[in-house]
Amino acid sequence: MKPIISPSILSADFGYLARDIEMINRSEAEWVHIDIMDGVFVPNISFGFPVLKYVAKLTDKPLDVHLMIVNPEKFIPEVKALGAHTMNVHYEACTHLHSSAASDVYKRQMQPAVTINPATPVALLQDIIQDVYMVLIMSVNPGFGGQKFIEHSVEKVRELRALIERTGSKALIEVDGGVNLETGARLVEAGADVLVAGNAVFGAPDPEEMIRQLHEL
Ligand code: DX5
Ligand code: ZN
């Protein structure tokens, strides 16, 4: 199975955002990855709902929303109003992950996904793996695009694949941070279903062609 490709618009040229979204629309990418940061959960601020409203108007591709914010459960209605497909919340930001990340998101007819930081072990997902549509493994410390891939992430994908098989969960495995043709190939081999790529796509001479090559991994 080809991996799902979710280009991250964090690396797009915000002066030409419509042009960059149109490139994603033309491309083989299945999803659009959207990074929301609050300057508290992560040491950076990206963009918020007013910008996203326009992104949502410019594409029909499913929106893969990654919330790097504290108390993400407070924003479930706003994320739904955007027409998001997937709502990714961080394990580290949710005290009541089962009720907020799983049940409430699902009730709003979005797909609930849980994200883990590089220092958070896969084993902690054991009691939530049946209730989520997807797990997002961060392969960099969240907050910035263009960072170096953390090697241990490949092993985490293998561990998560084993947990999913052992429990009969149907969760997809997504990986985000430092994904390119080289790291992407190893992640897919380890069991990743979805690749997020920011810098690798928007830093490429031909972004659309890069998406095509990532898709072939
Ligand atoms: C980082 C974000 C990523 C980021 C990935 O905190 O969650 O989605 O855009 O960028 P690259 O692919 O450049 O590492
Ligand atoms: Zn992200």
Side-chain angles (χ1 to χ4, degrees):
M1 271 269 284
K2 286 185 178 186
I4 291 171
I5 307 301
S6 192
S8 167
I9 60 163
L10 187 64
S11 294
D13 182 340
F14 293 142
Y16 295 91
L17 193 54
R19 179 201 68 189
D20 286 359
I21 304 275
E22 276 156 25
M23 181 282 293
I24 296 176
N25 287 344
R26 281 194 311 271
S27 79
E28 291 184 13
E30 282 88 350
W31 296 353
V32 181
H33 186 82
I34 294 177
D35 291 301
I36 304 186
M37 305 177 186
D38 65 356
V40 179
F41 182 70
V42 288
N44 195 11
I45 298 175
S46 54
F47 42 74
F49 296 111
V51 173
L52 286 182
K53 219 172 77 188
Y54 288 96
V55 173
K57 272 190 198 162
L58 292 167
T59 186
D60 291 331
K61 298 209 179 192
L63 304 177
D64 172 33
V65 177
H66 177 195
L67 297 173
M68 284 159 274
I69 62 175
V70 296
N71 303 324
E73 59 274 21
K74 278 194 345 205
F75 294 97
I76 294 173
E78 281 83 353
V79 177
K80 174 61 191 173
L82 276 177
H85 168 69
T86 312
M87 177 165 165
N88 295 280
V89 302
H90 270 261
Y91 179 90
E92 302 84 3
C94 272
T95 313
H96 300 288
L97 191 60
H98 184 267
S99 59
S100 54
S103 316
D104 286 0
V105 173
Y106 184 70
K107 268 187 231 141
R108 296 264 185 172
Q109 295 171 321
M110 292 185 288
Q111 302 295 342
V114 60
T115 308
I116 55 171
N117 275 338
T120 304
V122 165
L124 289 175
L125 298 171
Q126 180 155 326
D127 292 343
I128 195 76
I129 197 70
Q130 302 287 356
D131 301 295
V132 291
Y133 164 75
M134 184 165 79
V135 174
L136 169 52
I137 293 184
M138 286 309 300
S139 42
V140 296
N141 286 293
F144 301 91
Q147 299 184 79
K148 192 176 175 314
F149 182 77
I150 297 172
E151 280 300 321
H152 178 56
S153 317
V154 179
E155 196 42 47
K156 286 175 86 168
V157 171
R158 270 190 230 290
E159 270 177 53
L160 179 56
R161 179 53 65 205
L163 175 67
I164 287 171
E165 270 162 29
R166 193 167 70 243
T167 56
S169 155
K170 296 202 166 32
L172 296 173
I173 303 177
E174 180 174 44
V175 188
D176 182 8
V179 173
N180 55 32
L181 290 173
E182 188 271 321
T183 55
R186 290 189 285 130
L187 291 165
V188 170
E189 192 270 328
D193 304 293
V194 186
L195 300 176
V196 176
N199 198 50
V201 167
F202 290 99
D206 183 345
E208 204 180 324
E209 170 61 17
M210 178 52 66
I211 290 171
R212 198 193 62 74
Q213 289 184 24
L214 287 165
H215 209 202
E216 291 306 318
L217 292 177

